[in-house]
Structure formats: structure tokens, C-alpha cells
Amino acid sequence: MLRSGALAAENPITVGSLHDQSGPIGTSGTPMVYALQLAVDEINAAGGLLGRPLKVMHYDTQSNIQMYSQYAQQLAVKDKVDVVHGGITSASREAIRPTFDRFKVLYFYNTLYEGGVCDRNTFCTGTTPAQTVEKLVPSAMKKSGKKAYIIAADYNYGQITAKWMTKYCKDNGGEILSTDFFPLDVTNFGSTISKIQAAKPDLILSALVGGNHTAFYRQWTAAGMKGKIPIASTTFGLVNEPSTLDAAESDAVIGAYGYFEELTTQASKSFIEKIKKAHPDSPYISELAACTYEGVMLWAEGVKKAGSIDRMKVIEALESGLVFDGPSGKVSLDKPTHHTVRNAYLAEVKDRKWSVLETYTDAKPADTASVCDLVKNPADTKQYIINL
């Protein structure tokens, strides 16, 4: 007869992973999977959790929302995983979040996004506009001027981020000349570039997403516009844009994120070294990967504190003010919003790499904290959207 401890050791805690490793978003998802596996390997090497090993159940969602829905159902109903880390685009998150709410599976969304999700079953570890766009827009305006032109992806991330860009532009005495949205499959920006040339803005604010939209930066340079109107972006560099584009196409673009591969702290250098040792061909290690690693580690700290994998016990432990020192710096969970307080960094591309210009410590996650309060309204499952 097996002792209970031995039986537990043979009964792994299951971690679901839903990330794109192929299709247009695949270069973003691949390092996230590497980071998740690194965290799981480190936890297992230290003895696992509650005397049990962790087992990853991963599905490649192939940059396809239908695949997200299908595999979310699989993880929740058939695989019966204990937690899920996954989703990249906001559309993918909103496709799977209701499934995990319905089947009571704890969910971590480890991607920078437009903000506003208010759901006690969900923890969002990536940066929000209040942490990055709020820093990026006034810095770019101070350098370039007050008239901005917004170009953004045509789904909820781009649409809502454009609203935040508009807010922070107006808050700092600027104006938006025009806002243009583009489906993710658009690769031809010729007519848009002509519109921008006619509008004569001081600054372009970009929330373009994915490999197809990288074409804009090449076409912008080919049109002779590089250096004439500066670009500040909330998404540029999340994959390999600075290194895959020519320096003439990528230099001087400004971005703000919760992490850059170029950070020189020991924790960051160790994180990069481990991933690239295991995966020498890894794409750029951005905030997406760092927040995934930190999300898994925060969840693990919650399990340890709860002394259980029971979903509500883990949620309550996570809400107790847990802190983890990760590659991006100190990260703590904000109880009312289930988002993170974390460092934000402002950087500029120079010679096909990011050069960090400013560090903002303990950046708070939401201007909407007064709207989302899971302490007062624990049954809330909405996404609150900025109204202009």
C-alpha cells in the first residue's frame, strides 16, 4: 500500500499553457512558453509544490481564436488543470476567460494589454496603459511636439489603447489629428502614409500588432519619412523588430514596457542566460516572457502560502499582498484589481537594440482602480473601458 506522500508525489499539479507558437503571433508566444517552462523546471528542481511535481499541459493555439476556445474547453473539462497561464492578444483572452470562470479554473493573463479586466478568477501580470502609455506619451510629446497621429490594430487592444493615447495626449496639452485602425492581416500602408504626410503631425503613436504590421516601419522608411516624424509605440519590439529591421528602419523608435532584455540587473541577466542556454534560437525576450515567468512564480507563492491547490484558497493567498523579485524587478499583486504593481521602463532603439532611458519604480496598474474593486464586488467579471 502506498503512503499518502508517495501517492501525492505521483499525482502532479497540472499547469495549463495556451500560447501561440505558430502563425503571425508565434514569435511572441514562443518565448512565453520558454519562460513558463523555465519557471516550472525551477520549481520542480526545488522540490515542486506541496511535495508534488508540476506538469505542463501545453497547446499551440496557432494565432487562431477558435483554437483558443477549443483548447480552453479541453484544459478545463478534460484535462482538469489546476491553473492556466495563457493568451496573448486581448481577443484571445476574452475568448477563454469566460470558460475558466464557468468551470472555476484559476487563470493568469501575463501579457501587457489595454487594462480594465475586473475578475476575481483572473490575475493580470502584464503592464497596463496607466503604467506605460502614461509615461510614453508625455515623454514623446515633450521631445517632438503636441500634434499626434494614432495608428493601431483593429481589435479591442488597439481600439482601447488608442483611447488611452488620446487621453494622455490631451491631458498633456496635445491633440490627436487622426486615428486609423488596421486588421491584423494588413500589410500595405501606402495610403495611410500618404494621409500622415498630408496631416503633418509632430508625432506618430503606434499600437500596431504582430508580424504583418511590421511592414509599416519598412514602408515608412522607404517613403523617405524616417527621421521626419518620430514614432512612439506601445508594441514595437515585443518580438524581433529592432534586430530584424535595418537600423535605418528601427532606430529612434521609443517604447515603454515592464521589461527589456537589455536590463543589466543580475536577475535579468540570469533570466536571459537560462532561456538562451536552453533555446539558443529564442526570439527577443520581452515583457511577455518576463511576466509569464513572474506570473508562474507568483502563482507558486500563492500555492505555498495557501498550503493547497484549492482555487479559492490560492486566490485568497494571492490577494494577501504577495511579492516576487523577478527579472523585471519587484512585482506585487494589487488586491482590488488583481493586477501587478511593477517597474516600468522607457527606452529608445539605438543600433538595433533598446537603450533604457528612464525607470519608474512601483508603477500602479490602473487609473480605473475606483471602478474595479474586487474587495467590494468579488463577483465582478467585467472589462471596464475608458470613456472619453
Side-chain angles (χ1 to χ4, degrees):
M1 182 175 178
L2 288 171
R3 292 180 296 131
S4 60
L7 181 62
E10 295 179 1
N11 182 21
I13 296 171
T14 49
V15 179
S17 166
L18 287 179
H19 294 94
D20 307 307
Q21 286 188 276
S22 55
I25 313 294
T27 47
S28 296
T30 296
M32 297 174 80
V33 174
Y34 294 164
L36 183 148
Q37 191 63 57
L38 173 63
V40 167
D41 289 346
E42 289 182 351
I43 292 166
N44 281 338
L49 292 175
L50 312 179
R52 298 166 60 183
L54 303 187
K55 177 184 177 182
V56 178
M57 305 194 75
H58 172 69
Y59 294 97
D60 175 10
T61 39
Q62 303 171 42
S63 303
N64 185 314
I65 299 300
Q66 184 177 349
M67 292 289 188
Y68 270 103
S69 299
Q70 174 185 329
Y71 290 140
Q73 191 91 358
Q74 169 93 5
L75 286 171
V77 178
K78 185 176 180 181
D79 300 331
K80 298 186 184 301
V81 295
D82 298 299
V83 65
V84 172
H85 293 261
I88 302 180
T89 66
S90 294
S92 68
R93 179 197 67 244
E94 291 309 294
I96 62 180
R97 185 167 65 89
T99 298
F100 299 136
D101 283 349
R102 177 185 175 191
F103 292 104
K104 295 181 169 39
V105 179
L106 185 58
Y107 174 45
F108 275 73
Y109 180 61
N110 303 305
T111 303
L112 64 98
Y113 83 114
E114 69 281 357
V117 168
C118 190
D119 185 337
R120 200 173 182 209
N121 190 62
T122 299
F123 288 85
C124 301
T125 66
T127 54
T128 67
Q131 291 167 310
T132 54
V133 184
E134 191 267 344
K135 316 294 191 295
L136 177 67
V137 171
S139 295
M141 288 173 60
K142 184 177 181 181
K143 182 177 180 180
S144 306
K146 294 185 178 296
K147 295 181 179 180
Y149 195 113
I150 297 174
I151 50 176
D154 192 14
Y155 70 105
N156 50 355
Y157 169 76
Q159 292 159 0
I160 299 170
T161 299
K163 290 185 176 183
W164 285 109
M165 289 173 166
T166 301
K167 169 184 164 52
Y168 292 127
C169 182
K170 290 181 177 178
D171 285 354
N172 289 275
E175 67 173 306
I176 302 299
L177 301 182
S178 183
T179 301
D180 294 348
F181 295 105
F182 305 91
L184 292 176
D185 60 356
V186 168
T187 58
N188 188 336
F189 293 89
S191 61
T192 299
I193 290 171
S194 295
K195 285 177 62 180
I196 295 172
Q197 289 171 321
K200 298 181 180 178
D202 300 316
L203 170 69
I204 294 173
L205 297 174
S206 169
L208 298 174
V209 172
N212 290 330
H213 285 181
T214 300
F216 170 82
Y217 301 95
R218 289 195 171 100
Q219 292 166 28
W220 181 251
T221 303
M225 295 302 296
K226 183 67 177 176
K228 294 183 178 179
I229 303 174
I231 300 174
S233 174
T234 61
T235 48
F236 188 88
L238 286 177
V239 285
N240 290 346
E241 293 98 336
S243 59
T244 55
L245 293 172
D246 291 338
E249 296 165 332
S250 64
D251 275 5
V253 174
I254 298 174
Y257 297 115
Y259 178 77
F260 288 92
E261 182 181 301
E262 291 82 357
L263 291 180
T264 58
T265 64
Q266 187 55 49
S268 175
K269 290 192 288 187
S270 175
F271 174 65
I272 297 300
E273 181 180 335
K274 289 173 185 175
I275 288 185
K276 294 200 170 180
K277 182 178 180 180
H279 307 281
D281 60 344
S282 173
Y284 182 82
I285 309 300
S286 71
E287 172 182 332
L288 300 173
C291 289
T292 298
Y293 176 86
E294 291 162 354
V296 175
M297 290 303 195
L298 282 167
W299 164 76
E301 291 300 312
V303 172
K304 291 176 191 175
K305 182 158 188 175
S308 169
I309 57 168
D310 177 81
R311 183 182 67 103
M312 282 310 304
K313 290 180 180 178
V314 175
I315 288 173
E316 289 167 358
L318 290 165
E319 291 174 336
S320 67
L322 288 180
V323 176
F324 178 73
D325 288 318
S328 71
K330 184 179 77 171
V331 182
S332 61
L333 286 168
D334 178 59
K335 183 176 180 178
T337 65
H338 279 205
H339 287 61
T340 55
V341 177
R342 56 165 58 253
N343 293 346
Y345 302 91
L346 181 74
E348 181 178 4
V349 179
K350 294 181 180 179
D351 298 323
R352 304 174 77 195
K353 292 185 177 181
W354 287 104
S355 175
V356 177
L357 305 174
E358 298 283 348
T359 300
Y360 307 91
T361 58
D362 298 325
K364 296 215 163 68
D367 280 350
T368 54
S370 60
V371 176
C372 177
D373 190 339
L374 292 166
V375 177
K376 293 181 179 178
N377 303 299
D380 201 347
T381 59
K382 297 176 186 173
Q383 181 179 11
Y384 292 93
I385 298 173
I386 179 176
N387 291 315
L388 294 176

